[in-house]
Amino acid sequence: MLRALLLVNSASCAVFGGLFLAYPVGSAAFIGTIPPIIVTSLGALLAINAILLVLTAWRWYAQPKAVAFFILGDASWVLGTLALLASNFWIQGTAAIWSSLIVAIMVGTLGYGQYHFGLRKKQVRQLIEQPESTGLP
């Protein structure tokens, strides 16, 4: 399940990264008042993240630190979106606001799934297999 979540996250990053790289001016106009150079930079970061997600997903064993990196990235996306919406900065217009909220919900859901099926299950497994390392009796 973790592999599937990482691949869906990768596809999402690839789609939005590609869109932002191919159409930075149009994407910026849709979003609101964000400068196109910021959209281009965000597109490049999303494209790189998509590649890293695929590489992590296809490893036999996803490293907990790598999964945590993607979870933190997803959380940052959600919190950043909410901050921009709350401050009425860059994201303008009904369509952009609703689109941003839907994407933030999707990204947050993927991040939670990665936590649940990646880190949380590994922590439980470690408690069962190595109780002495946790400090628990």
Side-chain angles (χ1 to χ4, degrees):
M1 185 63 162
L2 177 60
R3 178 176 287 165
L5 289 166
L6 292 169
L7 291 173
V8 170
N9 199 352
S10 173
S12 169
C13 289
V15 167
F16 284 103
L19 179 68
F20 291 171
L21 285 170
Y23 304 104
V25 175
S27 297
F30 175 79
I31 294 169
T33 60
I34 188 169
I37 189 69
I38 300 292
V39 174
T40 301
S41 300
L42 190 56
L45 289 173
L46 287 169
I48 292 167
N49 201 52
I51 294 166
L52 294 174
L53 279 158
V54 167
L55 293 174
T56 301
W58 287 108
R59 292 183 60 116
W60 179 253
Y61 169 74
Q63 300 276 330
K65 288 181 183 178
V67 175
F69 170 79
F70 296 119
I71 293 168
L72 289 174
D74 291 342
S76 297
W77 183 277
V78 171
L79 293 174
T81 299
L82 294 176
L84 290 173
L85 289 169
S87 66
N88 202 28
F89 187 71
W90 281 347
I91 303 173
Q92 308 287 316
T94 305
I97 289 169
W98 281 106
S99 298
S100 297
L101 282 171
I102 291 167
V103 170
I105 290 168
M106 179 193 70
V107 169
T109 302
L110 287 169
Y112 175 76
Q114 291 166 157
Y115 166 75
H116 181 75
F117 291 103
L119 295 185
R120 186 166 157 245
K121 290 212 172 204
K122 286 183 184 14
Q123 291 169 347
V124 170
R125 195 175 313 127
Q126 286 174 348
L127 284 173
I128 292 169
E129 293 172 359
Q130 301 169 352
E132 68 279 353
S133 66
T134 63
L136 296 174

Short mmCIF file of all heavy atoms in Angstrom, two decimals, residues 49-102:
data_model
loop_
_atom_site.label_atom_id
_atom_site.label_comp_id
_atom_site.label_asym_id
_atom_site.label_seq_id
_atom_site.Cartn_x
_atom_site.Cartn_y
_atom_site.Cartn_z
N ASN A 49 10.63 16.19 -7.11
CA ASN A 49 9.98 15.39 -6.07
C ASN A 49 9.31 14.15 -6.67
O ASN A 49 9.34 13.07 -6.07
CB ASN A 49 8.96 16.25 -5.31
CG ASN A 49 8.63 15.69 -3.96
OD1 ASN A 49 9.50 15.39 -3.17
ND2 ASN A 49 7.34 15.57 -3.68
N ALA A 50 8.71 14.30 -7.84
CA ALA A 50 8.07 13.16 -8.52
C ALA A 50 9.09 12.06 -8.80
O ALA A 50 8.82 10.87 -8.57
CB ALA A 50 7.40 13.62 -9.81
N ILE A 51 10.26 12.45 -9.27
CA ILE A 51 11.31 11.47 -9.56
C ILE A 51 11.77 10.78 -8.28
O ILE A 51 11.91 9.56 -8.23
CB ILE A 51 12.50 12.15 -10.28
CG1 ILE A 51 12.06 12.63 -11.66
CG2 ILE A 51 13.71 11.22 -10.36
CD1 ILE A 51 13.03 13.58 -12.33
N LEU A 52 11.98 11.55 -7.22
CA LEU A 52 12.41 10.98 -5.95
C LEU A 52 11.35 10.03 -5.37
O LEU A 52 11.69 8.99 -4.80
CB LEU A 52 12.74 12.09 -4.94
CG LEU A 52 13.93 12.97 -5.28
CD1 LEU A 52 14.05 14.12 -4.30
CD2 LEU A 52 15.21 12.15 -5.33
N LEU A 53 10.09 10.38 -5.54
CA LEU A 53 9.01 9.50 -5.07
C LEU A 53 9.01 8.17 -5.81
O LEU A 53 8.85 7.11 -5.20
CB LEU A 53 7.65 10.19 -5.23
CG LEU A 53 7.28 11.19 -4.13
CD1 LEU A 53 6.24 12.18 -4.62
CD2 LEU A 53 6.79 10.46 -2.89
N VAL A 54 9.21 8.22 -7.12
CA VAL A 54 9.25 6.97 -7.90
C VAL A 54 10.44 6.12 -7.46
O VAL A 54 10.30 4.90 -7.26
CB VAL A 54 9.33 7.26 -9.42
CG1 VAL A 54 9.69 6.02 -10.20
CG2 VAL A 54 8.01 7.83 -9.91
N LEU A 55 11.59 6.75 -7.30
CA LEU A 55 12.78 5.99 -6.86
C LEU A 55 12.56 5.35 -5.49
O LEU A 55 12.95 4.20 -5.27
CB LEU A 55 14.01 6.90 -6.85
CG LEU A 55 14.47 7.41 -8.21
CD1 LEU A 55 15.60 8.41 -8.04
CD2 LEU A 55 14.89 6.25 -9.10
N THR A 56 11.93 6.08 -4.59
CA THR A 56 11.66 5.54 -3.26
C THR A 56 10.63 4.42 -3.33
O THR A 56 10.77 3.40 -2.66
CB THR A 56 11.17 6.66 -2.32
OG1 THR A 56 12.18 7.67 -2.24
CG2 THR A 56 10.88 6.12 -0.93
N ALA A 57 9.60 4.60 -4.14
CA ALA A 57 8.54 3.59 -4.25
C ALA A 57 9.06 2.27 -4.79
O ALA A 57 8.59 1.21 -4.39
CB ALA A 57 7.42 4.11 -5.14
N TRP A 58 10.03 2.31 -5.68
CA TRP A 58 10.49 1.08 -6.30
C TRP A 58 11.67 0.43 -5.60
O TRP A 58 12.18 -0.58 -6.05
CB TRP A 58 10.79 1.30 -7.79
CG TRP A 58 9.49 1.42 -8.51
CD1 TRP A 58 8.94 2.55 -9.03
CD2 TRP A 58 8.53 0.38 -8.71
NE1 TRP A 58 7.71 2.29 -9.56
CE2 TRP A 58 7.43 0.95 -9.38
CE3 TRP A 58 8.48 -0.96 -8.39
CZ2 TRP A 58 6.30 0.22 -9.73
CZ3 TRP A 58 7.35 -1.69 -8.74
CH2 TRP A 58 6.29 -1.10 -9.41
N ARG A 59 12.06 0.98 -4.47
CA ARG A 59 13.05 0.30 -3.63
C ARG A 59 12.36 -0.87 -2.95
O ARG A 59 11.18 -0.80 -2.63
CB ARG A 59 13.62 1.24 -2.58
CG ARG A 59 14.48 2.35 -3.17
CD ARG A 59 15.04 3.19 -2.04
NE ARG A 59 15.84 2.34 -1.18
CZ ARG A 59 17.14 2.48 -1.01
NH1 ARG A 59 17.77 3.44 -1.61
NH2 ARG A 59 17.80 1.68 -0.21
N TRP A 60 13.09 -1.92 -2.69
CA TRP A 60 12.51 -3.08 -2.02
C TRP A 60 11.95 -2.69 -0.65
O TRP A 60 10.93 -3.15 -0.22
CB TRP A 60 13.58 -4.17 -1.90
CG TRP A 60 13.06 -5.39 -1.22
CD1 TRP A 60 13.36 -5.80 0.05
CD2 TRP A 60 12.16 -6.36 -1.74
NE1 TRP A 60 12.70 -6.95 0.34
CE2 TRP A 60 11.95 -7.32 -0.75
CE3 TRP A 60 11.51 -6.51 -2.95
CZ2 TRP A 60 11.12 -8.41 -0.92
CZ3 TRP A 60 10.68 -7.60 -3.12
CH2 TRP A 60 10.50 -8.53 -2.12
N TYR A 61 12.67 -1.80 0.03
CA TYR A 61 12.28 -1.38 1.37
C TYR A 61 12.39 0.14 1.42
O TYR A 61 13.48 0.68 1.26
CB TYR A 61 13.19 -2.03 2.41
CG TYR A 61 13.07 -1.47 3.79
CD1 TYR A 61 11.95 -1.76 4.57
CD2 TYR A 61 14.05 -0.64 4.31
CE1 TYR A 61 11.84 -1.24 5.84
CE2 TYR A 61 13.94 -0.13 5.59
CZ TYR A 61 12.82 -0.42 6.35
OH TYR A 61 12.70 0.09 7.60
N ALA A 62 11.28 0.82 1.58
CA ALA A 62 11.30 2.29 1.64
C ALA A 62 11.89 2.71 2.99
O ALA A 62 11.39 2.32 4.05
CB ALA A 62 9.89 2.84 1.48
N GLN A 63 12.94 3.48 2.93
CA GLN A 63 13.60 3.98 4.14
C GLN A 63 12.64 4.89 4.91
O GLN A 63 12.03 5.78 4.33
CB GLN A 63 14.84 4.77 3.75
CG GLN A 63 15.87 3.99 2.98
CD GLN A 63 16.77 3.23 3.90
OE1 GLN A 63 17.02 3.64 5.01
NE2 GLN A 63 17.27 2.10 3.43
N PRO A 64 12.52 4.69 6.23
CA PRO A 64 11.63 5.55 7.02
C PRO A 64 11.96 7.04 6.90
O PRO A 64 11.07 7.87 6.86
CB PRO A 64 11.82 5.05 8.45
CG PRO A 64 12.25 3.63 8.29
CD PRO A 64 13.07 3.60 7.03
N LYS A 65 13.25 7.37 6.81
CA LYS A 65 13.63 8.78 6.69
C LYS A 65 13.16 9.37 5.36
O LYS A 65 12.75 10.52 5.29
CB LYS A 65 15.15 8.96 6.83
CG LYS A 65 15.63 8.75 8.23
CD LYS A 65 17.12 8.95 8.34
CE LYS A 65 17.57 8.67 9.76
NZ LYS A 65 19.01 8.80 9.92
N ALA A 66 13.20 8.58 4.29
CA ALA A 66 12.72 9.06 2.99
C ALA A 66 11.21 9.27 3.04
O ALA A 66 10.70 10.27 2.54
CB ALA A 66 13.08 8.07 1.89
N VAL A 67 10.50 8.32 3.64
CA VAL A 67 9.05 8.46 3.76
C VAL A 67 8.72 9.69 4.60
O VAL A 67 7.82 10.47 4.27
CB VAL A 67 8.42 7.18 4.35
CG1 VAL A 67 6.92 7.36 4.58
CG2 VAL A 67 8.67 5.99 3.43
N ALA A 68 9.45 9.90 5.70
CA ALA A 68 9.23 11.07 6.55
C ALA A 68 9.47 12.37 5.77
O ALA A 68 8.74 13.35 5.94
CB ALA A 68 10.14 11.01 7.77
N PHE A 69 10.47 12.37 4.89
CA PHE A 69 10.73 13.54 4.04
C PHE A 69 9.52 13.89 3.20
O PHE A 69 9.12 15.05 3.11
CB PHE A 69 11.95 13.24 3.15
CG PHE A 69 12.20 14.26 2.09
CD1 PHE A 69 12.81 15.47 2.38
CD2 PHE A 69 11.81 14.00 0.77
CE1 PHE A 69 13.03 16.41 1.38
CE2 PHE A 69 12.03 14.93 -0.22
CZ PHE A 69 12.65 16.14 0.09
N PHE A 70 8.89 12.88 2.58
CA PHE A 70 7.73 13.13 1.74
C PHE A 70 6.51 13.53 2.57
O PHE A 70 5.72 14.37 2.15
CB PHE A 70 7.43 11.92 0.86
CG PHE A 70 8.53 11.62 -0.11
CD1 PHE A 70 9.19 10.41 -0.07
CD2 PHE A 70 8.93 12.57 -1.04
CE1 PHE A 70 10.22 10.15 -0.96
CE2 PHE A 70 9.96 12.32 -1.93
CZ PHE A 70 10.61 11.11 -1.89
N ILE A 71 6.38 12.95 3.75
CA ILE A 71 5.27 13.33 4.64
C ILE A 71 5.42 14.79 5.03
O ILE A 71 4.44 15.55 5.03
CB ILE A 71 5.24 12.42 5.88
CG1 ILE A 71 4.86 10.99 5.48
CG2 ILE A 71 4.26 12.95 6.93
CD1 ILE A 71 5.09 9.97 6.58
N LEU A 72 6.63 15.20 5.38
CA LEU A 72 6.87 16.61 5.74
C LEU A 72 6.61 17.54 4.56
O LEU A 72 6.09 18.64 4.73
CB LEU A 72 8.29 16.79 6.28
CG LEU A 72 8.55 16.18 7.65
CD1 LEU A 72 10.03 16.29 8.01
CD2 LEU A 72 7.69 16.87 8.70
N GLY A 73 6.98 17.09 3.36
CA GLY A 73 6.70 17.89 2.17
C GLY A 73 5.21 18.05 1.94
O GLY A 73 4.74 19.15 1.62
N ASP A 74 4.47 16.97 2.13
CA ASP A 74 3.01 17.05 1.98
C ASP A 74 2.40 17.97 3.03
O ASP A 74 1.53 18.78 2.73
CB ASP A 74 2.39 15.65 2.06
CG ASP A 74 2.74 14.77 0.87
OD1 ASP A 74 3.16 15.32 -0.17
OD2 ASP A 74 2.60 13.54 0.99
N ALA A 75 2.86 17.83 4.26
CA ALA A 75 2.36 18.70 5.33
C ALA A 75 2.69 20.16 5.04
O ALA A 75 1.85 21.05 5.26
CB ALA A 75 2.95 18.27 6.67
N SER A 76 3.88 20.41 4.52
CA SER A 76 4.27 21.78 4.18
C SER A 76 3.37 22.35 3.08
O SER A 76 2.99 23.52 3.12
CB SER A 76 5.72 21.83 3.72
OG SER A 76 6.57 21.43 4.76
N TRP A 77 3.04 21.50 2.09
CA TRP A 77 2.16 21.94 1.01
C TRP A 77 0.80 22.34 1.58
O TRP A 77 0.25 23.39 1.24
CB TRP A 77 2.00 20.83 -0.02
CG TRP A 77 1.15 21.23 -1.19
CD1 TRP A 77 -0.21 21.22 -1.26
CD2 TRP A 77 1.60 21.75 -2.43
NE1 TRP A 77 -0.63 21.69 -2.48
CE2 TRP A 77 0.48 22.02 -3.22
CE3 TRP A 77 2.87 21.99 -2.96
CZ2 TRP A 77 0.56 22.53 -4.51
CZ3 TRP A 77 2.95 22.50 -4.24
CH2 TRP A 77 1.82 22.77 -5.00
N VAL A 78 0.25 21.49 2.44
CA VAL A 78 -1.08 21.76 3.02
C VAL A 78 -1.03 23.02 3.87
O VAL A 78 -1.88 23.91 3.71
CB VAL A 78 -1.57 20.55 3.85
CG1 VAL A 78 -2.83 20.90 4.63
CG2 VAL A 78 -1.81 19.35 2.95
N LEU A 79 -0.06 23.13 4.76
CA LEU A 79 0.03 24.30 5.63
C LEU A 79 0.31 25.57 4.83
O LEU A 79 -0.25 26.64 5.13
CB LEU A 79 1.11 24.09 6.70
CG LEU A 79 0.79 23.00 7.73
CD1 LEU A 79 1.98 22.77 8.65
CD2 LEU A 79 -0.47 23.33 8.51
N GLY A 80 1.15 25.47 3.82
CA GLY A 80 1.42 26.63 2.96
C GLY A 80 0.18 27.09 2.22
O GLY A 80 -0.10 28.29 2.12
N THR A 81 -0.57 26.13 1.70
CA THR A 81 -1.81 26.46 1.00
C THR A 81 -2.78 27.15 1.95
O THR A 81 -3.38 28.19 1.61
CB THR A 81 -2.47 25.20 0.40
OG1 THR A 81 -1.57 24.63 -0.55
CG2 THR A 81 -3.79 25.51 -0.26
N LEU A 82 -2.95 26.58 3.14
CA LEU A 82 -3.87 27.17 4.12
C LEU A 82 -3.41 28.58 4.53
O LEU A 82 -4.25 29.48 4.69
CB LEU A 82 -4.01 26.27 5.33
CG LEU A 82 -4.69 24.92 5.06
CD1 LEU A 82 -4.69 24.06 6.33
CD2 LEU A 82 -6.09 25.11 4.51
N ALA A 83 -2.12 28.77 4.69
CA ALA A 83 -1.60 30.09 5.05
C ALA A 83 -1.86 31.10 3.93
O ALA A 83 -2.26 32.24 4.19
CB ALA A 83 -0.10 30.01 5.35
N LEU A 84 -1.63 30.69 2.68
CA LEU A 84 -1.90 31.58 1.54
C LEU A 84 -3.38 31.91 1.44
O LEU A 84 -3.76 33.06 1.16
CB LEU A 84 -1.40 30.96 0.24
CG LEU A 84 0.11 30.87 0.08
CD1 LEU A 84 0.47 30.07 -1.17
CD2 LEU A 84 0.75 32.25 0.04
N LEU A 85 -4.23 30.92 1.67
CA LEU A 85 -5.67 31.17 1.62
C LEU A 85 -6.13 32.07 2.76
O LEU A 85 -6.92 33.00 2.55
CB LEU A 85 -6.44 29.85 1.66
CG LEU A 85 -6.35 29.00 0.40
CD1 LEU A 85 -6.93 27.61 0.64
CD2 LEU A 85 -7.05 29.68 -0.77
N ALA A 86 -5.62 31.82 3.96
CA ALA A 86 -6.01 32.63 5.12
C ALA A 86 -5.56 34.08 4.99
O ALA A 86 -6.26 35.00 5.41
CB ALA A 86 -5.46 32.02 6.39
N SER A 87 -4.39 34.26 4.37
CA SER A 87 -3.86 35.62 4.22
C SER A 87 -4.35 36.31 2.95
O SER A 87 -4.03 37.48 2.74
CB SER A 87 -2.33 35.58 4.22
OG SER A 87 -1.86 34.90 3.06
N ASN A 88 -5.09 35.57 2.12
CA ASN A 88 -5.58 36.10 0.84
C ASN A 88 -4.40 36.58 -0.03
O ASN A 88 -4.49 37.59 -0.71
CB ASN A 88 -6.58 37.23 1.08
CG ASN A 88 -7.48 37.46 -0.11
OD1 ASN A 88 -7.74 36.54 -0.87
ND2 ASN A 88 -7.96 38.68 -0.27
N PHE A 89 -3.31 35.83 0.02
CA PHE A 89 -2.08 36.18 -0.70
C PHE A 89 -1.88 35.20 -1.86
O PHE A 89 -1.88 34.00 -1.66
CB PHE A 89 -0.90 36.11 0.27
CG PHE A 89 0.40 36.61 -0.28
CD1 PHE A 89 0.58 37.95 -0.52
CD2 PHE A 89 1.43 35.73 -0.55
CE1 PHE A 89 1.78 38.42 -1.03
CE2 PHE A 89 2.64 36.18 -1.05
CZ PHE A 89 2.81 37.54 -1.29
N TRP A 90 -1.73 35.72 -3.05
CA TRP A 90 -1.45 34.98 -4.28
C TRP A 90 -2.63 34.18 -4.82
O TRP A 90 -2.85 34.15 -6.01
CB TRP A 90 -0.25 34.06 -4.15
CG TRP A 90 1.08 34.74 -4.25
CD1 TRP A 90 1.33 36.00 -4.68
CD2 TRP A 90 2.35 34.17 -3.93
NE1 TRP A 90 2.66 36.26 -4.64
CE2 TRP A 90 3.32 35.16 -4.17
CE3 TRP A 90 2.75 32.94 -3.45
CZ2 TRP A 90 4.67 34.94 -3.97
CZ3 TRP A 90 4.09 32.73 -3.24
CH2 TRP A 90 5.04 33.72 -3.50
N ILE A 91 -3.35 33.45 -3.98
CA ILE A 91 -4.46 32.62 -4.47
C ILE A 91 -5.73 33.47 -4.46
O ILE A 91 -6.24 33.82 -3.40
CB ILE A 91 -4.64 31.35 -3.62
CG1 ILE A 91 -3.35 30.54 -3.60
CG2 ILE A 91 -5.80 30.51 -4.14
CD1 ILE A 91 -3.35 29.35 -2.66
N GLN A 92 -6.21 33.80 -5.66
CA GLN A 92 -7.35 34.71 -5.81
C GLN A 92 -8.42 34.06 -6.68
O GLN A 92 -8.10 33.32 -7.60
CB GLN A 92 -6.89 36.02 -6.48
CG GLN A 92 -5.72 36.69 -5.81
CD GLN A 92 -6.08 37.33 -4.49
OE1 GLN A 92 -7.11 37.98 -4.39
NE2 GLN A 92 -5.26 37.12 -3.49
N GLY A 93 -9.65 34.36 -6.42
CA GLY A 93 -10.74 33.87 -7.26
C GLY A 93 -11.32 32.56 -6.75
O GLY A 93 -10.63 31.73 -6.16
N THR A 94 -12.58 32.38 -6.99
CA THR A 94 -13.30 31.21 -6.48
C THR A 94 -12.73 29.91 -7.01
O THR A 94 -12.52 28.96 -6.24
CB THR A 94 -14.80 31.33 -6.86
OG1 THR A 94 -15.30 32.57 -6.36
CG2 THR A 94 -15.60 30.19 -6.27
N ALA A 95 -12.48 29.81 -8.31
CA ALA A 95 -11.97 28.57 -8.89
C ALA A 95 -10.60 28.23 -8.31
O ALA A 95 -10.32 27.06 -8.00
CB ALA A 95 -11.89 28.67 -10.41
N ALA A 96 -9.73 29.21 -8.17
CA ALA A 96 -8.39 28.96 -7.62
C ALA A 96 -8.47 28.55 -6.15
O ALA A 96 -7.74 27.65 -5.72
CB ALA A 96 -7.53 30.21 -7.78
N ILE A 97 -9.35 29.17 -5.41
CA ILE A 97 -9.49 28.84 -3.98
C ILE A 97 -9.99 27.40 -3.83
O ILE A 97 -9.41 26.61 -3.07
CB ILE A 97 -10.43 29.84 -3.28
CG1 ILE A 97 -9.73 31.20 -3.17
CG2 ILE A 97 -10.84 29.33 -1.90
CD1 ILE A 97 -10.64 32.35 -2.75
N TRP A 98 -11.05 27.04 -4.55
CA TRP A 98 -11.58 25.68 -4.46
C TRP A 98 -10.58 24.65 -4.98
O TRP A 98 -10.41 23.58 -4.38
CB TRP A 98 -12.92 25.56 -5.20
CG TRP A 98 -14.04 26.09 -4.37
CD1 TRP A 98 -14.71 27.26 -4.55
CD2 TRP A 98 -14.60 25.50 -3.20
NE1 TRP A 98 -15.66 27.43 -3.57
CE2 TRP A 98 -15.61 26.36 -2.73
CE3 TRP A 98 -14.34 24.32 -2.49
CZ2 TRP A 98 -16.36 26.08 -1.59
CZ3 TRP A 98 -15.09 24.04 -1.36
CH2 TRP A 98 -16.09 24.91 -0.92
N SER A 99 -9.91 24.95 -6.06
CA SER A 99 -8.90 24.03 -6.60
C SER A 99 -7.78 23.82 -5.59
O SER A 99 -7.34 22.69 -5.37
CB SER A 99 -8.33 24.57 -7.90
OG SER A 99 -9.31 24.68 -8.88
N SER A 100 -7.35 24.90 -4.97
CA SER A 100 -6.28 24.81 -3.98
C SER A 100 -6.71 23.98 -2.78
O SER A 100 -5.92 23.18 -2.26
CB SER A 100 -5.87 26.21 -3.51
OG SER A 100 -5.35 26.94 -4.58
N LEU A 101 -7.94 24.17 -2.34
CA LEU A 101 -8.45 23.38 -1.21
C LEU A 101 -8.54 21.89 -1.56
O LEU A 101 -8.16 21.03 -0.76
CB LEU A 101 -9.83 23.89 -0.78
CG LEU A 101 -9.83 25.16 0.06
CD1 LEU A 101 -11.26 25.68 0.24
CD2 LEU A 101 -9.17 24.91 1.41
N ILE A 102 -9.03 21.59 -2.75
CA ILE A 102 -9.14 20.18 -3.17
C ILE A 102 -7.77 19.53 -3.26
O ILE A 102 -7.56 18.41 -2.80
CB ILE A 102 -9.91 20.08 -4.50
CG1 ILE A 102 -11.38 20.45 -4.26
CG2 ILE A 102 -9.78 18.69 -5.12
CD1 ILE A 102 -12.19 20.68 -5.51
#
